[in-house]
Amino acid sequence: MEEELLLREPELLCEARHPGDVSDLCFLTQDHIATASSTGSVLLYKHHTITQRVEAVQEWPDLHISGGRRCPCTCLATYGEDTMLSGGEDGRIAMLSPGQAAPVRVLEKADSCTINALAFLKQSEVLTVNSFGQLKLFDFRQNTDGPAQIFSATDDHWSLLCVDKHPGQLHVVATGSQDGTLTVWDLRQNRFPMTTLDAHQSSMWEVRFHPYHAEHLFTCSEDGSLWHWDASAHASLVASSGRPGGDEGPSGQQSPWLGLEASPKLEINSLICNKSLSVNSLDIEGGLLLCGTDSENIYTLSMPHLS
C-alpha cells in the first residue's frame, strides 16, 4: 500500500475557502479537520468522502484577542473525537467541543507571551511551549489558569517552537527551539530535567517521535533540512548495561533519549540530499514520512524498516 502511494502523483480531490491564513490543522476524526486561523478563530471542516466535498460545519470566532484586537490562533491539539485545544499569540488556551458553541473552558492567563505549540500529555494534562523558551504543564483538574509546572532550558530564552511526547513513556518529551536545538525533557526531574542536543542551523519547526518505534525521532527546520535521529543502538546499549539513561517508563522499558549528550551510539541522518527552502512540517505513520516545504513541494519518503 505504501509503495502504491509513493508511485501515485497527488491529486486534488476537493478544497474549501478559509478565513485568514491556516496556522495549524489536525484531524479530529477520520472525516473532520480542525484548523487554526490568523484571525483568531478555530474552524471545523467535514470531508464528505462520497461526493468529495469539504465544508465548514462549525466556527469558534475571536477566541484569541490582544489589546482589543483579534490576534492569530497559533496551534491546535486534539484528544479523542470530542476535545480540542487552541493556543494563541495572546497566551490564552481555549478548550473546545464539537457541537458546543462556547468554549468548554478558557485559561485567560495561561501565558504572558505567544503559545507556539500544544500537546495533550493525558486527557487532563496539557503541554505548551512558548516564545520565552519555556515548557509548561497545565492540569485542567485544577481551578487555576496557571501551570502546574514550568521548565526552562537555558538563560538565553530562545523560543520553543514545537513539542511532542514519547508515545509510550509520558515523562519523556521532545521540543525544538528557534536556534535549532533539540531538547529532550524528563518531566519527573525538576532540577536538571533536560538533555540538550545541537541540531539544525536555524529554527526547528517540527519534532515527531515515531508512533510505534519511539527510538526514532524526526525533525525539520528553517534551514531546509529534514533529519532522522536513530537512538536504537543506544537503546540496545542501555538495555543491556542498565546504565543511567535507562530510566524506566510505565512499561518497564528504558528510554534511550535521556542522557544522550555523551553517547556515540546516536545516529543522525539527513533525509533530503539537496537542501530545499524551509521544511515547515512533517508527519510519519508506519514506514511513510511526509514533509512540506516553502518551495511548494511535498516530499514522500519510504522507510520500510519502520513499517
Side-chain angles (χ1 to χ4, degrees):
M1 179 63 179
E2 290 176 355
E3 291 181 358
E4 292 179 7
L5 289 173
L6 286 170
L7 294 173
R8 289 171 53 187
E9 190 71 18
E11 178 184 354
L12 176 64
L13 297 178
C14 49
E15 58 186 346
R17 297 186 63 84
H18 184 272
D21 297 335
V22 178
S23 50
D24 199 5
L25 56 82
C26 55
F27 277 95
L28 182 66
T29 68
Q30 286 189 334
D31 55 4
H32 284 84
I33 306 166
T35 66
S37 172
S38 60
T39 65
S41 302
V42 172
L43 291 93
L44 187 64
Y45 289 83
K46 180 176 174 60
H47 176 213
H48 300 274
T49 55
I50 297 178
T51 59
Q52 290 301 344
R53 183 170 58 90
V54 171
E55 66 170 339
V57 293
Q58 189 168 355
E59 179 179 4
W60 292 269
D62 303 334
L63 288 175
H64 298 280
I65 298 175
S66 178
R69 302 180 62 181
R70 295 184 297 181
C71 65
C73 174
T74 54
C75 50
L76 296 172
T78 62
Y79 190 92
E81 297 186 352
D82 58 2
T83 304
M84 295 187 293
L85 291 177
S86 73
E89 286 189 1
D90 57 352
R92 301 170 85 210
I93 298 175
M95 178 179 284
L96 312 171
S97 181
Q100 186 169 324
V104 176
R105 185 175 175 185
V106 177
L107 303 186
E108 295 281 356
K109 299 178 180 179
D111 216 318
S112 59
C113 57
T114 299
I115 297 173
N116 290 318
L118 293 157
F120 274 96
L121 191 64
K122 302 176 183 177
Q123 184 174 7
S124 59
E125 296 180 1
V126 175
L127 296 166
T128 68
V129 291
N130 67 17
S131 60
F132 195 62
Q134 294 173 319
L135 170 69
K136 296 186 178 184
L137 173 63
F138 290 86
D139 188 341
F140 275 78
R141 293 168 297 188
Q142 298 180 353
N143 294 320
T144 176
D145 284 3
Q149 287 180 280
I150 301 176
F151 303 91
S152 295
T154 67
D155 294 331
D156 296 330
H157 299 297
W158 287 101
S159 292
L160 293 180
L161 303 175
C162 51
V163 60
D164 195 28
K165 67 177 181 182
H166 189 287
Q169 297 169 327
L170 300 185
H171 62 281
V172 180
V173 174
T175 62
S177 70
Q178 188 179 8
D179 68 345
T181 300
L182 171 66
T183 304
V184 182
W185 307 76
D186 184 348
L187 300 184
R188 303 168 304 177
Q189 305 294 328
N190 291 321
R191 190 173 179 187
F192 299 109
M194 79 291 289
T195 296
T196 302
L197 302 167
D198 291 334
H200 301 278
Q201 296 176 351
S202 189
S203 299
M204 185 186 297
W205 292 127
E206 194 116 57
V207 58
R208 283 282 183 270
F209 285 103
H210 192 284
Y212 314 122
H213 304 283
E215 66 274 16
H216 298 269
L217 182 143
F218 301 86
T219 60
C220 63
S221 171
E222 174 79 20
D223 65 13
S225 58
L226 174 68
W227 285 3
H228 171 203
W229 303 69
D230 183 354
S232 56
H234 181 65
S236 299
L237 179 65
V238 167
S240 62
S241 66
R243 291 173 6 184
D247 300 78
E248 294 188 359
S251 64
Q253 296 179 333
Q254 298 172 326
S255 174
W257 293 107
L258 304 177
L260 268 175
E261 293 101 328
S263 173
K265 295 295 186 179
L266 177 64
E267 295 184 14
I268 306 173
N269 299 300
S270 176
L271 299 181
I272 299 180
C273 297
N274 299 317
K275 282 191 176 181
S276 68
L277 298 176
S278 175
V279 182
N280 301 319
S281 185
L282 70 89
D283 200 7
I284 185 163
E285 178 67 26
L288 194 63
L289 184 145
L290 298 175
C291 71
T293 75
D294 267 357
S295 57
E296 300 183 1
N297 290 326
I298 296 176
Y299 289 84
T300 308
L301 305 174
S302 177
M303 309 191 75
H305 61 293
L306 297 179
S307 297

